[in-house]
Amino acid sequence: MTELERSNQQLQSFVYITSHDLQEPLRAMASYAQLLKKCYKEQLDEDADEFMEYIVSGSKRMKQQIQGLLEYSRVDNRGGDL
């Protein structure tokens, strides 16, 4: 039982670190897409604006998925409510 608890704690630490590491590139992608959209607003066509919005939107959705996995990893399954 002690080994299982240690393993679960290591897994939770791994998930936390990994979620943080995965979110950083997403923040950078969204930020740079927003900067491009702002700086080149008058120079880009509607398609380019739409593509930038896809990048930002996709980054936000991926961040939500990562945060959902992180929350799921924190669920205590010792008989409590999920």
Side-chain angles (χ1 to χ4, degrees):
M1 191 60 139
T2 303
E3 181 64 26
L4 181 59
E5 288 174 359
R6 185 189 61 76
S7 176
N8 285 342
Q9 192 167 7
Q10 285 179 336
L11 182 59
Q12 188 172 359
S13 294
F14 172 77
V15 169
Y16 177 79
I17 291 166
T18 303
S19 71
H20 181 298
D21 290 349
L22 289 173
Q23 287 182 63
E24 179 53 35
L26 291 173
R27 281 190 288 272
M29 286 172 36
S31 294
Y32 282 116
Q34 289 169 336
L35 280 173
L36 285 171
K37 191 173 180 179
K38 180 181 174 184
C39 291
Y40 296 100
K41 185 176 185 176
E42 303 297 323
Q43 299 173 13
L44 299 175
D45 63 7
E46 288 181 23
D47 285 341
D49 286 338
E50 186 178 358
F51 298 154
M52 297 293 179
E53 197 55 43
Y54 287 150
I55 294 170
V56 172
S57 175
S59 297
K60 289 178 182 178
R61 285 192 318 274
M62 181 66 87
K63 181 179 178 180
Q64 289 172 342
Q65 290 174 349
I66 292 169
Q67 288 176 339
L69 288 171
L70 181 59
E71 288 176 26
Y72 179 76
S73 75
R74 292 179 177 157
V75 171
D76 186 358
N77 57 6
R78 293 183 210 155
D81 292 338
L82 294 179

